[in-house]
Amino acid sequence: MTEITTAAWTMPALDTTYYLESGGTATLAMLLKDVPLDLYPTDAEGLELLLTCRAAWEDRDEMMAALAMRHSDEYMRNVGQEPALQTA
């Protein structure tokens, strides 16, 4: 019988930098500001939830691609609502 073990999750260092959708960067310490200690991430999913709530990304290129896709999706949803050019 093979036993599979996984390493315990550890939170990144508080000085880890993340990219913000609003522009600029923030450290993990800044993202955790005003978050009660009992709501601090205890696993990778918790960290992902924090990043989502704070509109923060680990990778700038992934963030830019997601924002471009989001903008494209919004454009496509609204394209039928745009005033059409009137031709005579």
Side-chain angles (χ1 to χ4, degrees):
M1 181 172 176
T2 305
E3 186 174 323
I4 299 173
T5 58
T6 58
W9 183 81
T10 55
M11 189 170 352
L14 292 176
D15 62 351
T16 303
T17 302
Y18 296 92
Y19 300 93
L20 302 176
E21 289 183 10
S22 61
T25 60
T27 63
L28 180 56
M30 295 164 74
L31 296 175
L32 289 169
K33 184 179 182 206
D34 299 326
V35 174
L37 286 175
D38 61 330
L39 296 178
Y40 273 35
T42 57
D43 57 20
E45 290 177 11
L47 177 62
E48 189 67 28
L49 180 61
L50 172 71
L51 296 178
T52 299
C53 290
R54 299 290 191 181
W57 294 76
E58 295 179 74
D59 183 274
R60 186 179 186 282
D61 291 336
E62 285 182 21
M63 178 186 72
M64 297 306 289
L67 292 176
M69 181 63 74
R70 186 181 306 158
H71 176 72
S72 174
D73 288 347
E74 288 174 15
Y75 173 79
M76 293 308 292
R77 273 194 304 276
N78 295 322
V79 77
Q81 299 171 6
E82 296 293 321
L85 291 175
Q86 299 297 322
T87 58

